[in-house]
Amino acid sequence: MRYNKLIIIGILGMAMIFGMPLLASAQTLERIQASGTFNIGFVTDQAPISFKAEDGKARGYALELGQKVAEAVKAKVGLPDLRTKYIATSLKDGLDMVAEGRIDLLCGAISDTLKRRERVSFSLPIFVTGTAVILREDAPPDLVRVLQGKKAYSGPIWRGSINRALAEHTYAVHAGTVTEEWVRERIATLGVIAKVITVEDHAKGVEMVAKKKADAYFADTS
Amino acid sequence: MADSSKKMSLMGLTTLVAVNMMGSGIIMLPTSMAQLGAISLLSWLVTAVGSMAIAYCFAQLGVILPRSGGMSAYSEEAHGKSAFFMCSFLYFLSLAIGNVAIAISAVGYLTPFFPWLGTGAFPLFIGVIGLIWLTTAANFGGPKVTGQIGSVTVWGVIIPVAGLSLIGWFWFKSSVFAAAWNPHNMHIWDGINKAIPLTLWAFLGMESAAQNSDAVENPKKNVPLACMLGTLGAAVIYILSTTVIQGIVPNAELAKSSAPFATVYAQMFNPTIGKIIMALAVIACIGSLLGWQFTLAQTSKYTADGRYFPKFFSKVSGLGAPLGGLIVNGILQTVMAFSTMSPNATAQFNKLVNLAAVTNLVPYVTSLSALLLVMHKAKSDKHVFNRNVVVLMVAMAYSILAIYTSGQEAVFGAMIVMAIAYVMFGFIANRFDDLMNVASTDSAT
């Protein structure tokens, strides 16, 4: 089961896929030393792990850990006046930015997956969480049953069974998350007749459910 | 009682049996089967054998014991007066709930043509009661007119479904079928096991011939024939159409189609033909609702004739239509249709729908088990007796499997309903106290 998912901060991106973290981290440290700047990317809509506060500043649990990392880096490269720059980004872009070396560290609720490890390196897990889903109060009962881990339909299939065409659902998912892959995989396995649309941030996903454009919104918890 | 010129012909009754069975169930069946793969077609072996056994037993009962009162009368033969009431009550409930459910599905199928119906709970409710009363009113002309309307709406099944079973083979590609056979790489038994529930209940409705024996010409000959022919016809069409479609439409596409017959015709010809086919399927669905309203009214009429239900169900118009029953049944279904107005009520109604399948099956057990006694009484030939017992055991095993597979919640609900029904019978049991010995006088005709 993939319910329990780890939230971690991505750290020290590799420019090349050598599978040699030491070399990679050395490169990142060299880059920081050369530029005199430590670029921390943060995901803006993952409160309380990582978010953009009202004053426009980066806040959150992952960022506080990120600051500690910055201090450690400062000592390691021997630059007491190392500047720390915070760069707002999304989960999807953030991973690319780490991989391409545009940021040195990404703070946020980011699941550690094999596929992602091909491009970036991860810190130790910093938080254990799961997948969350938002529904309207008048959500279709068979959808609620599926989400409770029960079979969508357990009764007899006879002429009285209400036709499935009415049960065609639209699911919104947070783009680029492991939840997105998971939702698509479950739909295929369970044979659910559903359409998946991706949204860039939580606000958009919640709005789609509220406005009945989607029946459910799936995202990583945070 | 209506004279024979107002009654239904053999053709009319056979059509009614087949359409009652297939009308609404067939529309989504190819999609459900494609989700498992064409391997699910093997489940027809079980379903077809079991349901033909049931149909054969009904036909035997019809031949040996040609009396009105359908399954309830057969049940009474072996199990007594309370069984007559139980059988009628459970079956009545099953049909009344099933009809509302068919109407809800039919509105769903109508939505592509009348988008307003899909815009909320109120339009759905209006659509449902509209269909309930349309199909009720269409029965006001009496059995003959109902049969005639049925012979028009049956084309909604004949053209898309039976037609596909014939002409579809020109478009059939064995490579498409082979790819669809087992897309999830299931073990063969696993596949059959998962597929059986898809077709297990597809033959509910074959009892409609016996239920409508009052309304048909020459019931002694026509009821058994219509039961066998209707069931056989439905079996052949079910099997051929769900087989050929899997060799035309690629599995992945069929598995997510919300209108599989429209999809296959759109692929064979063009999307416009697909839309026309969908319209025909909706007509078939509404035609089956017409047949069920008829069967429901006939069931409540013969039950009231036997003094088990209130008198108003017995009222027959000059045209032979059980007017009282039709109207009261229409009102009852309208009340249930209110459940479409809120999600909570819908969830409750769905539970009723599940238990209604079980209350359709219990009468199979009570009525068919009477075959043994009926054969004893009729002093059936020993060979015939033994042969019938074997077939009866298959029919009973199948019925019990169908009850078992309905699931705990459905059987639980049905059990509660049965308990309540016994209380109800307690209140009317005194009506039959002095009549116990003349129970079969009205059946001697």
Side-chain angles (χ1 to χ4, degrees):
Chain A
M1 289 297 246
R2 212 206 52 79
Y3 279 114
N4 294 323
K5 198 155 55 63
L6 306 174
I7 288 193
I8 18 190
I9 48 172
I11 188 169
L12 303 176
M14 297 192 294
M16 282 174 283
I17 310 167
F18 280 145
M20 293 172 70
L22 270 178
L23 176 67
S25 73
Q27 281 179 342
T28 307
L29 289 174
E30 273 169 24
R31 190 174 63 223
I32 294 165
Q33 207 159 22
S35 67
T37 315
F38 186 44
N39 293 316
I40 299 182
F42 69 100
V43 185
T44 53
D45 63 341
Q46 292 181 331
I49 302 291
S50 164
F51 60 102
K52 196 175 192 171
E54 277 173 13
D55 58 6
K57 285 194 176 147
R59 289 274 188 318
Y61 171 53
L63 280 143
E64 287 186 20
L65 291 172
Q67 273 159 14
K68 299 277 183 207
V69 174
E71 278 164 30
V73 168
K74 220 180 264 187
K76 177 109 184 180
V77 299
L79 285 175
D81 54 350
L82 179 75
R83 279 171 300 137
T84 309
K85 201 172 144 195
Y86 290 95
I87 300 159
T89 183
S90 68
L91 175 59
K92 207 168 142 218
D93 294 343
L95 287 167
D96 291 339
M97 289 169 81
V98 176
E100 290 158 12
R102 284 186 280 150
I103 53 177
D104 303 307
L105 175 76
L106 177 65
C107 294
I110 309 152
S111 301
D112 186 355
T113 64
L114 264 183
K115 206 171 161 199
R116 287 174 177 173
R117 274 176 178 250
E118 287 175 359
R119 304 175 64 220
V120 299
S121 187
F122 283 87
S123 72
L124 290 172
I126 59 161
F127 200 80
V128 180
T129 179
T131 298
V133 57
I134 292 173
L135 307 167
R136 279 188 312 278
E137 235 177 23
D138 64 350
D142 52 345
L143 175 59
V144 177
R145 267 198 300 278
V146 172
L147 293 173
Q148 286 168 342
K150 295 177 194 156
K151 271 167 93 180
Y153 183 75
S154 61
I157 302 156
W158 66 305
R159 63 169 191 275
S161 311
I162 310 297
N163 79 69
R164 302 262 313 271
L166 290 174
E168 195 175 324
H169 296 145
T170 303
Y171 301 148
V173 295
H174 196 185
T177 56
V178 275
T179 298
E180 179 185 343
E181 290 164 35
W182 177 76
V183 168
R184 290 185 192 281
E185 184 267 325
R186 295 311 289 171
I187 285 175
T189 329
L190 296 173
V192 177
I193 301 180
K195 200 164 65 191
V196 175
I197 41 179
T198 58
V199 294
E200 286 304 323
D201 58 57
H202 292 325
K204 189 85 205 306
V206 174
E207 184 193 308
M208 294 207 68
V209 176
K211 290 193 170 163
K212 300 198 172 189
K213 283 182 185 153
D215 296 287
Y217 171 58
F218 292 83
D220 301 356
T221 334
S222 64
Chain B
M1 183 148 290
D3 61 77
S4 110
S5 67
K6 289 171 192 153
K7 291 198 169 186
M8 218 176 241
S9 63
L10 171 64
M11 191 60 204
L13 189 64
T14 307
T15 306
L16 183 126
V17 171
V19 173
N20 271 7
M21 263 189 258
M22 293 191 297
S24 51
I26 184 81
I27 298 183
M28 282 304 287
L29 195 55
T31 297
S32 318
M33 296 183 86
Q35 284 168 0
L36 282 178
I39 192 170
S40 57
L41 293 167
L42 295 177
S43 72
W44 284 124
L45 292 175
V46 178
T47 310
V49 169
S51 48
M52 283 313 293
I54 295 176
Y56 173 84
C57 292
F58 273 125
Q60 285 295 307
L61 276 167
V63 170
I64 308 173
L65 184 74
R67 61 175 279 199
S68 74
M71 295 193 292
S72 309
Y74 303 144
S75 300
E76 187 200 345
E77 284 296 320
H79 306 286
K81 289 285 178 187
S82 73
F84 188 112
F85 175 76
M86 291 302 283
C87 183
S88 280
F89 180 78
L90 294 179
Y91 191 63
F92 176 85
L93 203 66
S94 172
L95 295 198
I97 295 167
N99 284 2
V100 179
I102 294 174
I104 295 172
S105 289
V107 172
Y109 299 132
L110 278 169
T111 306
F113 303 100
F114 306 98
W116 178 77
L117 290 169
T119 53
F122 184 70
L124 172 64
F125 171 72
I126 296 294
V128 169
I129 56 169
L131 286 181
I132 288 169
W133 285 102
L134 177 73
T135 50
T136 299
N139 276 303
F140 287 167
K144 199 175 176 77
V145 176
T146 300
Q148 283 163 349
I149 300 176
S151 66
V152 175
T153 57
V154 71
W155 289 95
V157 174
I158 292 176
I159 296 173
V161 184
L164 182 70
S165 311
L166 289 176
I167 64 163
W169 300 100
F170 292 111
W171 282 266
F172 184 88
K173 287 199 188 77
S174 45
S175 58
V176 175
F177 187 83
W181 177 252
N182 193 358
H184 306 297
N185 293 315
M186 285 181 290
H187 189 273
I188 188 156
W189 287 116
D190 196 28
I192 296 176
N193 220 11
K194 285 204 170 109
I196 280 177
L198 294 179
T199 58
L200 192 61
W201 298 273
F203 287 92
L204 288 185
M206 69 185 115
E207 72 285 354
S208 349
Q211 293 306 104
N212 295 311
S213 57
D214 272 354
V216 69
E217 298 160 0
N218 191 7
K220 188 175 162 61
K221 175 177 143 260
N222 288 343
V223 167
L225 267 178
C227 183
M228 290 297 286
L229 292 176
T231 308
L232 190 65
V236 170
I237 295 171
Y238 266 142
I239 295 171
L240 288 179
S241 65
T242 53
T243 304
V244 70
I245 199 169
Q246 305 223 42
I248 303 173
V249 183
N251 180 270
E253 197 186 326
L254 191 59
K256 56 177 197 224
S257 170
S258 58
F261 284 98
T263 304
V264 68
Y265 275 88
Q267 185 167 326
M268 285 157 59
F269 300 100
N270 58 56
T272 314
I273 306 264
K275 269 215 132 169
I276 295 169
I277 291 297
M278 193 56 215
L280 286 168
V282 176
I283 291 171
C285 189
I286 295 169
S288 85
L289 189 52
L290 172 87
W292 282 119
Q293 296 290 13
F294 182 75
T295 311
L296 179 62
Q298 288 295 330
T299 301
S300 52
K301 180 191 167 294
Y302 77 61
T303 309
D305 288 346
R307 304 208 298 154
Y308 296 87
F309 274 7
K311 250 191 207 138
F312 49 74
F313 285 113
S314 281
K315 286 219 167 61
V316 176
S317 73
L319 293 164
L323 213 52
L326 283 166
I327 290 171
V328 174
N329 295 340
I331 294 169
L332 183 68
Q333 291 169 53
T334 305
V335 171
M336 286 198 277
F338 273 104
S339 69
T340 57
M341 299 290 264
S342 90
N344 272 339
T346 305
Q348 294 307 316
F349 180 72
N350 286 339
K351 285 182 185 164
L352 282 184
V353 169
N354 288 348
L355 79 84
V358 178
T359 65
N360 193 331
L361 287 160
V362 173
Y364 282 15
V365 178
T366 58
S367 59
L368 295 183
S369 57
L371 182 58
L372 292 166
L373 175 86
V374 169
M375 287 192 300
H376 273 299
K377 273 191 178 168
K379 300 196 170 55
S380 296
D381 177 73
K382 196 159 182 287
H383 286 296
V384 177
F385 190 93
N386 289 342
R387 184 189 67 205
N388 286 0
V389 169
V390 171
V391 181
L392 177 66
M393 287 305 106
V394 175
M396 290 290 87
Y398 187 84
S399 303
I400 292 166
L401 174 72
I403 293 174
Y404 172 79
T405 317
S406 297
Q408 287 182 9
E409 200 185 67
V411 177
F412 168 81
M415 183 65 226
I416 299 296
V417 168
M418 283 172 75
I420 295 169
Y422 272 113
V423 176
M424 291 167 78
F425 182 73
F427 278 98
I428 58 167
N430 63 316
R431 290 182 191 174
F432 312 106
D433 193 35
D434 52 341
L435 281 173
M436 283 304 185
N437 297 322
V438 284
S440 50
T441 46
D442 61 335
S443 63
T445 49

